[in-house]
Amino acid sequence: MTTLTPRIKSICVYCGSQPGRNPAYKAAAQTLGRAMAEAGIDLVYGGGTKGIMGAVADAVMSSGGKAIGIIPEFLMDKEASRHSLGQLSELHVTRDMHERKHMMFERSDAFVTLPGGIGTLEEIIEIMTWAQLGRHTKPMVLANINGFWDPLNALLAHMTGEGFIHTAHLVKPMVINDAAGIVPAILAQAAGGTDPGEPELISRM
């Protein structure tokens, strides 16, 4: 088993509730899930049991790891079924998306973004915004499977070049093309020291 940096006990994974058109996305989720379980790292995620969300959770649990689902009540029958949610290691049902996102932040020591849609993009952008504002220095990863996040990286570079991101070093996540390299990269970055952030301040933003 991998020797862990004490602070990396859980990783929040943002990803799509759909499988996407390329089977490489689901395969990457499964690779990441197995690697997390083998390293003794808990999964914190949006609670969905379908698509890539379901794939990463299934991979974690089938490999002996812990999957912590955090889902608003109104999404329980859209992104999952109540029966399948009962199979998770731990389930938290929130009142709304705002409460869900803050709980996910507070329960996580790092963030990984697999391919997904608008919701996935919104979640990682918010975490990047909090990093830019100095509210945390937790590791952030874009899992750039088959170049999925290349357009976002290009946009960030364009924003920086046009003078709208003056603290790019705080905003820039690690971009990792191979899912097998994600956990080692997070552990390596965390070995240099991470800040758990200030959830109380973030909750007022």
Side-chain angles (χ1 to χ4, degrees):
M1 179 174 289
T2 303
T3 300
L4 292 179
T5 299
R7 293 195 176 203
I8 302 297
K9 298 178 180 177
S10 61
I11 294 175
C12 178
V13 177
Y14 300 127
C15 55
S17 59
Q18 301 297 319
R21 294 180 178 173
N22 192 327
Y25 304 150
K26 181 178 179 179
Q30 293 168 331
T31 296
L32 174 61
R34 287 192 295 267
M36 289 174 59
E38 289 167 3
I41 298 173
D42 295 342
L43 166 68
V44 176
Y45 84 120
T49 57
K50 304 175 182 178
I52 300 177
M53 295 176 79
V56 69
D58 287 346
V60 167
M61 292 189 293
S62 65
S63 299
K66 183 177 180 181
I68 301 166
I70 302 173
I71 190 168
E73 186 172 10
F74 76 92
L75 282 180
M76 290 177 71
D77 297 316
K78 294 182 179 180
E79 294 185 351
S81 68
R82 292 174 191 262
H83 171 75
S84 59
L85 286 170
Q87 308 303 308
L88 296 177
S89 311
E90 191 176 315
L91 177 66
H92 299 271
V93 180
T94 64
R95 293 166 295 180
D96 51 36
M97 293 291 286
H98 184 76
E99 183 181 3
R100 175 205 219 179
K101 289 190 291 184
H102 285 286
M103 185 178 293
M104 290 171 77
F105 174 84
E106 292 165 2
R107 294 292 299 264
S108 304
D109 299 318
F111 305 92
V112 173
T113 309
L114 289 164
I118 294 173
T120 301
L121 177 63
E122 187 269 341
E123 287 171 321
I124 189 57
I125 291 296
E126 186 164 42
I127 292 298
M128 291 167 63
T129 301
W130 292 349
Q132 182 178 7
L133 294 173
R135 298 280 66 96
H136 78 91
T137 56
K138 299 178 182 182
M140 300 178 291
V141 172
L142 291 177
N144 197 33
I145 311 305
N146 281 21
F148 184 87
W149 293 113
D150 283 350
L152 175 60
N153 289 323
L155 177 59
L156 292 171
H158 175 67
M159 289 174 168
T160 301
E162 292 298 312
F164 289 103
I165 303 179
H166 299 288
T167 53
H169 64 290
L170 298 176
V171 176
K172 189 173 178 60
M174 292 183 282
V175 180
I176 300 176
N177 299 328
D178 181 3
I182 293 173
V183 169
I186 288 174
L187 294 176
Q189 180 172 329
T194 61
D195 184 343
E198 302 175 64
E200 296 82 5
L201 291 176
I202 291 170
S203 68
R204 298 197 294 269
M205 289 170 58

